[in-house]
Amino acid sequence: MSEQPKIEIEDNGSKGRYVVRGPDGAEAEMTFTKIGERQLIIDHTGVPDAFRGQGVGALLVARAVEDARAAGKTIIPLCPFAAAQFRRHPEWADVLKK
C-alpha cells in the first residue's frame, strides 16, 4: 500500500469498528465496545491476507488512540494484538486505562 489507507468508523451506539476496505472487498477491522462516556474496549483486530504485512492493523489501533486522546477517553486493549501495540508504544500511556 503506497498511501495511507482510508479508515472509516462505524459507530452503532455501544459498539463500533474502525475498518479499511480493500478494492477486492476485503475488510480489515478493529472492533470496540464503549463503557460509559469515557472508556472503550478494543475487542478484536482482524486483518485478512490481502492486507497482511502492510501495517494496517497497527494503523487501526493508532487511529483509535488518536481519537480517544482527542475525546479525553481511555482504552482497555483486551484484543491481544492491540495490547501488543500498546506495549510497543509507551507514548500511548496517557490513553491506556490503568
Side-chain angles (χ1 to χ4, degrees):
M1 220 173 256
S2 57
E3 60 185 50
Q4 285 281 73
K6 180 181 177 202
I7 299 174
E8 298 176 30
I9 302 170
E10 297 175 358
D11 189 331
N12 300 316
S14 64
K15 292 188 172 286
R17 71 182 187 145
Y18 289 78
V19 61
V20 173
R21 291 181 173 86
D24 60 353
E27 291 184 346
E29 71 172 1
M30 186 202 69
T31 63
F32 62 88
T33 301
K34 295 178 189 174
I35 305 298
E37 294 294 316
R38 294 276 172 224
Q39 290 181 29
L40 62 91
I41 295 171
I42 296 177
D43 308 300
H44 167 76
T45 304
V47 179
D49 288 342
F51 291 108
R52 295 230 186 254
Q54 300 174 41
V56 173
L59 288 172
L60 292 169
V61 178
R63 174 65 185 275
V65 168
E66 291 171 19
D67 291 351
R69 188 175 281 141
K73 295 182 180 183
T74 57
I75 295 175
I76 302 168
L78 289 186
C79 163
F81 177 81
Q85 290 298 308
F86 270 87
R87 286 191 297 276
R88 287 186 189 110
H89 293 278
E91 69 275 17
W92 294 352
D94 61 313
V95 297
L96 180 62
K97 176 68 177 163
K98 307 294 186 267

